[in-house]
Short mmCIF file of all heavy atoms in Angstrom, two decimals:
data_model
loop_
_atom_site.label_atom_id
_atom_site.label_comp_id
_atom_site.label_asym_id
_atom_site.label_seq_id
_atom_site.Cartn_x
_atom_site.Cartn_y
_atom_site.Cartn_z
N LEU L 8 -5.11 -7.54 -6.72
CA LEU L 8 -4.11 -6.55 -6.65
C LEU L 8 -3.07 -6.93 -5.61
O LEU L 8 -1.81 -6.74 -5.76
CB LEU L 8 -4.64 -5.16 -6.34
CG LEU L 8 -5.49 -4.57 -7.50
CD1 LEU L 8 -5.99 -3.17 -7.06
CD2 LEU L 8 -4.73 -4.44 -8.75
N ARG L 9 -3.57 -7.49 -4.50
CA ARG L 9 -2.60 -7.91 -3.38
C ARG L 9 -1.71 -9.06 -3.93
O ARG L 9 -0.48 -8.94 -3.72
CB ARG L 9 -3.38 -8.40 -2.21
CG ARG L 9 -2.54 -8.71 -0.96
CD ARG L 9 -3.27 -9.42 0.12
NE ARG L 9 -3.64 -10.74 -0.31
CZ ARG L 9 -2.80 -11.77 -0.24
NH1 ARG L 9 -1.55 -11.61 0.13
NH2 ARG L 9 -3.19 -12.98 -0.64
N LEU L 10 -2.31 -9.97 -4.62
CA LEU L 10 -1.48 -11.09 -5.17
C LEU L 10 -0.56 -10.56 -6.26
O LEU L 10 0.58 -11.08 -6.31
CB LEU L 10 -2.44 -12.18 -5.74
CG LEU L 10 -3.32 -12.90 -4.73
CD1 LEU L 10 -4.30 -13.83 -5.46
CD2 LEU L 10 -2.41 -13.75 -3.84
N LEU L 11 -1.00 -9.65 -7.03
CA LEU L 11 -0.05 -9.01 -7.99
C LEU L 11 1.13 -8.37 -7.39
O LEU L 11 2.29 -8.51 -7.78
CB LEU L 11 -0.82 -8.10 -8.89
CG LEU L 11 -0.11 -7.55 -10.13
CD1 LEU L 11 0.33 -8.72 -11.07
CD2 LEU L 11 -1.00 -6.59 -10.95
N SER L 12 0.89 -7.66 -6.26
CA SER L 12 1.91 -6.99 -5.61
C SER L 12 2.94 -7.97 -5.00
O SER L 12 4.17 -7.79 -5.01
CB SER L 12 1.44 -6.02 -4.51
OG SER L 12 0.82 -6.76 -3.45
N VAL L 13 2.40 -9.07 -4.47
CA VAL L 13 3.25 -10.17 -3.93
C VAL L 13 4.11 -10.75 -5.08
O VAL L 13 5.31 -11.00 -4.87
CB VAL L 13 2.41 -11.22 -3.26
CG1 VAL L 13 3.25 -12.49 -2.95
CG2 VAL L 13 1.74 -10.72 -2.07
N ALA L 14 3.50 -10.94 -6.21
CA ALA L 14 4.24 -11.50 -7.35
C ALA L 14 5.39 -10.52 -7.71
O ALA L 14 6.53 -11.03 -7.99
CB ALA L 14 3.34 -11.67 -8.55
N GLY L 15 5.18 -9.24 -7.64
CA GLY L 15 6.21 -8.30 -7.94
C GLY L 15 7.39 -8.32 -7.01
O GLY L 15 8.56 -8.05 -7.38
N GLU L 16 7.11 -8.70 -5.78
CA GLU L 16 8.17 -8.69 -4.80
C GLU L 16 9.25 -9.74 -5.01
O GLU L 16 10.39 -9.61 -4.57
CB GLU L 16 7.56 -8.90 -3.37
CG GLU L 16 6.69 -7.73 -2.93
CD GLU L 16 5.73 -8.13 -1.82
OE1 GLU L 16 5.84 -9.23 -1.30
OE2 GLU L 16 4.82 -7.31 -1.54
N TYR L 17 8.93 -10.81 -5.75
CA TYR L 17 9.79 -11.93 -5.98
C TYR L 17 11.08 -11.47 -6.81
O TYR L 17 12.08 -12.11 -6.79
CB TYR L 17 9.17 -13.11 -6.64
CG TYR L 17 8.34 -13.92 -5.62
CD1 TYR L 17 6.92 -13.79 -5.55
CD2 TYR L 17 8.90 -14.69 -4.63
CE1 TYR L 17 6.16 -14.44 -4.65
CE2 TYR L 17 8.15 -15.39 -3.74
CZ TYR L 17 6.80 -15.27 -3.74
OH TYR L 17 6.03 -15.97 -2.85
N ARG L 18 10.88 -10.38 -7.59
CA ARG L 18 12.00 -9.96 -8.44
C ARG L 18 12.62 -8.68 -7.98
O ARG L 18 13.44 -8.12 -8.66
CB ARG L 18 11.57 -9.86 -9.95
CG ARG L 18 11.11 -11.10 -10.52
CD ARG L 18 11.01 -11.01 -12.06
NE ARG L 18 12.39 -10.76 -12.59
CZ ARG L 18 12.71 -9.58 -13.13
NH1 ARG L 18 11.90 -8.53 -13.16
NH2 ARG L 18 13.94 -9.40 -13.63
N ASP L 19 12.15 -8.20 -6.83
CA ASP L 19 12.64 -6.86 -6.41
C ASP L 19 13.50 -6.94 -5.13
O ASP L 19 13.24 -7.81 -4.28
CB ASP L 19 11.42 -6.04 -6.08
CG ASP L 19 11.75 -4.44 -6.06
OD1 ASP L 19 12.92 -4.13 -5.92
OD2 ASP L 19 10.78 -3.66 -6.29
N ILE L 20 14.50 -6.16 -5.06
CA ILE L 20 15.38 -6.17 -3.88
C ILE L 20 14.66 -5.64 -2.68
O ILE L 20 15.09 -5.84 -1.51
CB ILE L 20 16.66 -5.41 -4.17
CG1 ILE L 20 16.36 -3.92 -4.51
CG2 ILE L 20 17.50 -6.07 -5.18
CD1 ILE L 20 17.63 -3.07 -4.61
N GLU L 21 13.58 -4.85 -2.89
CA GLU L 21 12.85 -4.32 -1.80
C GLU L 21 11.89 -5.41 -1.31
O GLU L 21 11.36 -6.21 -2.00
CB GLU L 21 12.07 -3.11 -2.33
CG GLU L 21 12.98 -1.98 -2.70
CD GLU L 21 12.28 -0.84 -3.45
OE1 GLU L 21 11.14 -1.10 -3.97
OE2 GLU L 21 12.77 0.26 -3.49
N THR L 22 11.63 -5.35 0.01
CA THR L 22 10.90 -6.38 0.70
C THR L 22 9.37 -6.11 0.56
O THR L 22 8.99 -5.01 0.21
CB THR L 22 11.19 -6.43 2.15
OG1 THR L 22 10.71 -5.26 2.81
CG2 THR L 22 12.68 -6.57 2.40
N GLY L 23 8.60 -7.13 0.88
CA GLY L 23 7.12 -6.98 0.87
C GLY L 23 6.70 -5.97 1.90
O GLY L 23 5.65 -5.33 1.77
N LEU L 24 7.49 -5.82 2.99
CA LEU L 24 7.08 -4.84 3.99
C LEU L 24 7.29 -3.39 3.46
O LEU L 24 6.64 -2.44 3.94
CB LEU L 24 7.91 -5.01 5.28
CG LEU L 24 7.43 -6.25 6.09
CD1 LEU L 24 8.32 -6.45 7.24
CD2 LEU L 24 5.98 -6.12 6.46
N HIS L 25 8.16 -3.21 2.49
CA HIS L 25 8.31 -1.90 1.83
C HIS L 25 6.95 -1.59 1.13
O HIS L 25 6.45 -0.50 1.33
CB HIS L 25 9.44 -1.87 0.76
CG HIS L 25 9.31 -0.77 -0.18
ND1 HIS L 25 9.60 0.53 0.16
CD2 HIS L 25 8.98 -0.80 -1.53
CE1 HIS L 25 9.38 1.29 -0.98
NE2 HIS L 25 9.00 0.55 -1.96
N THR L 26 6.41 -2.52 0.32
CA THR L 26 5.17 -2.20 -0.34
C THR L 26 4.10 -2.06 0.64
O THR L 26 3.15 -1.28 0.45
CB THR L 26 4.87 -3.31 -1.35
OG1 THR L 26 4.75 -4.57 -0.73
CG2 THR L 26 5.95 -3.44 -2.47
N ARG L 27 4.11 -2.82 1.78
CA ARG L 27 3.05 -2.71 2.76
C ARG L 27 3.09 -1.30 3.38
O ARG L 27 2.06 -0.69 3.56
CB ARG L 27 3.28 -3.77 3.84
CG ARG L 27 2.37 -3.62 5.03
CD ARG L 27 0.93 -4.00 4.81
NE ARG L 27 0.05 -3.83 5.91
CZ ARG L 27 -0.11 -4.76 6.94
NH1 ARG L 27 0.55 -5.88 6.83
NH2 ARG L 27 -0.96 -4.56 7.87
N ARG L 28 4.33 -0.82 3.68
CA ARG L 28 4.39 0.50 4.24
C ARG L 28 3.95 1.61 3.33
O ARG L 28 3.29 2.53 3.71
CB ARG L 28 5.93 0.71 4.65
CG ARG L 28 6.44 -0.06 5.79
CD ARG L 28 7.80 0.48 6.30
NE ARG L 28 8.81 0.39 5.32
CZ ARG L 28 9.69 -0.64 5.16
NH1 ARG L 28 9.58 -1.68 5.92
NH2 ARG L 28 10.65 -0.58 4.29
N ILE L 29 4.25 1.47 2.00
CA ILE L 29 3.79 2.41 1.03
C ILE L 29 2.24 2.56 1.11
O ILE L 29 1.66 3.66 1.07
CB ILE L 29 4.24 2.04 -0.39
CG1 ILE L 29 5.74 2.16 -0.52
CG2 ILE L 29 3.60 2.96 -1.45
CD1 ILE L 29 6.40 3.52 -0.24
N GLY L 30 1.57 1.40 1.21
CA GLY L 30 0.09 1.36 1.28
C GLY L 30 -0.38 2.06 2.50
O GLY L 30 -1.31 2.88 2.52
N GLU L 31 0.30 1.78 3.66
CA GLU L 31 -0.07 2.48 4.90
C GLU L 31 0.16 3.93 4.94
O GLU L 31 -0.70 4.66 5.32
CB GLU L 31 0.75 1.78 6.07
CG GLU L 31 0.46 0.34 6.30
CD GLU L 31 -0.86 0.07 6.87
OE1 GLU L 31 -1.42 0.96 7.63
OE2 GLU L 31 -1.40 -1.02 6.68
N TYR L 32 1.33 4.35 4.42
CA TYR L 32 1.56 5.76 4.30
C TYR L 32 0.53 6.45 3.43
O TYR L 32 0.00 7.56 3.78
CB TYR L 32 2.93 6.10 3.61
CG TYR L 32 4.16 5.56 4.19
CD1 TYR L 32 5.22 5.02 3.41
CD2 TYR L 32 4.42 5.59 5.58
CE1 TYR L 32 6.37 4.54 3.95
CE2 TYR L 32 5.56 5.10 6.15
CZ TYR L 32 6.61 4.57 5.31
OH TYR L 32 7.75 4.13 5.83
N ALA L 33 0.19 5.83 2.32
CA ALA L 33 -0.73 6.44 1.37
C ALA L 33 -2.17 6.59 1.99
O ALA L 33 -2.78 7.59 1.80
CB ALA L 33 -0.82 5.58 0.03
N ARG L 34 -2.54 5.56 2.73
CA ARG L 34 -3.85 5.62 3.34
C ARG L 34 -3.96 6.72 4.35
O ARG L 34 -4.88 7.51 4.35
CB ARG L 34 -4.13 4.31 4.03
CG ARG L 34 -5.47 4.29 4.86
CD ARG L 34 -5.66 2.96 5.55
NE ARG L 34 -6.93 2.99 6.35
CZ ARG L 34 -7.08 3.53 7.53
NH1 ARG L 34 -5.97 4.04 8.17
NH2 ARG L 34 -8.18 3.48 8.18
N GLU L 35 -2.89 6.84 5.17
CA GLU L 35 -2.91 7.91 6.18
C GLU L 35 -2.83 9.32 5.59
O GLU L 35 -3.47 10.25 6.05
CB GLU L 35 -1.77 7.73 7.20
CG GLU L 35 -1.82 6.44 7.99
CD GLU L 35 -3.11 6.47 8.89
OE1 GLU L 35 -3.42 7.50 9.47
OE2 GLU L 35 -3.76 5.36 8.93
N THR L 36 -2.07 9.43 4.52
CA THR L 36 -1.96 10.72 3.82
C THR L 36 -3.28 11.08 3.23
O THR L 36 -3.75 12.30 3.30
CB THR L 36 -0.84 10.66 2.82
OG1 THR L 36 0.44 10.32 3.38
CG2 THR L 36 -0.72 12.05 2.06
N ALA L 37 -3.99 10.13 2.57
CA ALA L 37 -5.31 10.40 1.98
C ALA L 37 -6.23 10.86 3.04
O ALA L 37 -7.02 11.78 2.78
CB ALA L 37 -5.82 9.18 1.30
N LEU L 38 -6.27 10.24 4.19
CA LEU L 38 -7.17 10.64 5.27
C LEU L 38 -6.82 12.05 5.73
O LEU L 38 -7.73 12.88 6.04
CB LEU L 38 -7.07 9.66 6.44
CG LEU L 38 -7.66 8.23 6.17
CD1 LEU L 38 -7.37 7.32 7.38
CD2 LEU L 38 -9.16 8.33 5.97
N LEU L 39 -5.55 12.35 5.80
CA LEU L 39 -5.15 13.72 6.26
C LEU L 39 -5.65 14.73 5.19
O LEU L 39 -5.92 15.91 5.51
CB LEU L 39 -3.65 13.78 6.40
CG LEU L 39 -3.03 13.06 7.65
CD1 LEU L 39 -1.53 12.96 7.55
CD2 LEU L 39 -3.46 13.77 8.93
N LEU L 40 -5.69 14.38 3.93
CA LEU L 40 -6.18 15.21 2.88
C LEU L 40 -7.67 15.39 2.83
O LEU L 40 -8.22 16.20 2.11
CB LEU L 40 -5.71 14.69 1.54
CG LEU L 40 -4.27 14.97 1.07
CD1 LEU L 40 -3.92 14.17 -0.15
CD2 LEU L 40 -4.07 16.47 0.80
N GLY L 41 -8.35 14.53 3.71
CA GLY L 41 -9.84 14.70 3.80
C GLY L 41 -10.57 13.66 2.97
O GLY L 41 -11.79 13.73 2.80
N TRP L 42 -9.86 12.63 2.48
CA TRP L 42 -10.51 11.56 1.74
C TRP L 42 -11.40 10.79 2.64
O TRP L 42 -11.11 10.66 3.88
CB TRP L 42 -9.52 10.61 1.05
CG TRP L 42 -8.72 11.12 -0.10
CD1 TRP L 42 -8.42 12.43 -0.31
CD2 TRP L 42 -8.21 10.36 -1.17
NE1 TRP L 42 -7.75 12.51 -1.51
CE2 TRP L 42 -7.56 11.21 -2.06
CE3 TRP L 42 -8.24 9.01 -1.46
CZ2 TRP L 42 -6.94 10.87 -3.17
CZ3 TRP L 42 -7.59 8.60 -2.62
CH2 TRP L 42 -6.90 9.46 -3.49
N ASP L 43 -12.50 10.22 2.14
CA ASP L 43 -13.39 9.33 2.93
C ASP L 43 -12.61 8.00 3.13
O ASP L 43 -11.64 7.69 2.43
CB ASP L 43 -14.67 9.15 2.30
CG ASP L 43 -14.58 8.49 0.91
OD1 ASP L 43 -14.30 7.29 0.82
OD2 ASP L 43 -14.76 9.18 -0.09
N LYS L 44 -13.11 7.25 4.10
CA LYS L 44 -12.40 6.01 4.49
C LYS L 44 -12.36 4.99 3.37
O LYS L 44 -11.35 4.31 3.14
CB LYS L 44 -13.13 5.38 5.67
CG LYS L 44 -12.54 4.14 6.24
CD LYS L 44 -13.25 3.58 7.45
CE LYS L 44 -12.67 2.27 7.95
NZ LYS L 44 -13.48 1.72 9.07
N VAL L 45 -13.46 4.91 2.61
CA VAL L 45 -13.53 3.93 1.46
C VAL L 45 -12.39 4.17 0.44
O VAL L 45 -11.65 3.28 0.08
CB VAL L 45 -14.87 3.93 0.79
CG1 VAL L 45 -14.88 3.13 -0.48
CG2 VAL L 45 -15.96 3.47 1.71
N ASN L 46 -12.24 5.44 0.02
CA ASN L 46 -11.26 5.73 -1.02
C ASN L 46 -9.83 5.68 -0.40
O ASN L 46 -8.88 5.33 -1.11
CB ASN L 46 -11.52 7.09 -1.69
CG ASN L 46 -12.58 7.00 -2.76
OD1 ASN L 46 -12.37 6.19 -3.70
ND2 ASN L 46 -13.59 7.74 -2.62
N ALA L 47 -9.68 5.99 0.86
CA ALA L 47 -8.36 5.90 1.48
C ALA L 47 -7.96 4.42 1.55
O ALA L 47 -6.79 4.08 1.37
CB ALA L 47 -8.46 6.44 2.91
N GLU L 48 -8.90 3.55 1.80
CA GLU L 48 -8.55 2.09 1.80
C GLU L 48 -8.28 1.60 0.39
O GLU L 48 -7.48 0.67 0.13
CB GLU L 48 -9.73 1.34 2.41
CG GLU L 48 -9.81 1.57 3.96
CD GLU L 48 -10.97 0.83 4.58
OE1 GLU L 48 -11.78 0.25 3.86
OE2 GLU L 48 -11.01 0.80 5.84
N ARG L 49 -8.92 2.21 -0.62
CA ARG L 49 -8.60 1.89 -1.98
C ARG L 49 -7.22 2.21 -2.38
O ARG L 49 -6.49 1.40 -3.05
CB ARG L 49 -9.62 2.54 -2.94
CG ARG L 49 -11.00 1.89 -2.90
CD ARG L 49 -12.03 2.74 -3.62
NE ARG L 49 -13.34 2.10 -3.69
CZ ARG L 49 -14.52 2.73 -3.95
NH1 ARG L 49 -14.46 4.06 -4.14
NH2 ARG L 49 -15.59 2.03 -3.96
#
């Protein structure tokens, strides 16, 4: 999935750090919702 997301970045005006940030936001939000660490990392 990481490699696939990298592949997608080559055709997008948004940077790889945009997709990285989305993952970080999502993980922190999931933890705030009470998700366990494993699913938050997923």
Side-chain angles (χ1 to χ4, degrees):
L8 294 180
R9 188 190 68 80
L10 292 173
L11 189 57
S12 67
V13 169
E16 292 160 12
Y17 283 104
R18 296 197 62 252
D19 200 340
I20 58 174
E21 295 169 339
T22 70
L24 287 176
H25 161 72
T26 58
R27 173 72 182 274
R28 290 193 297 268
I29 295 298
E31 295 289 331
Y32 300 141
R34 176 182 179 276
E35 293 301 317
T36 303
L38 290 172
L39 289 169
L40 281 168
W42 287 29
D43 60 75
K44 182 179 177 182
V45 171
N46 279 304
E48 290 178 351
R49 286 169 175 160

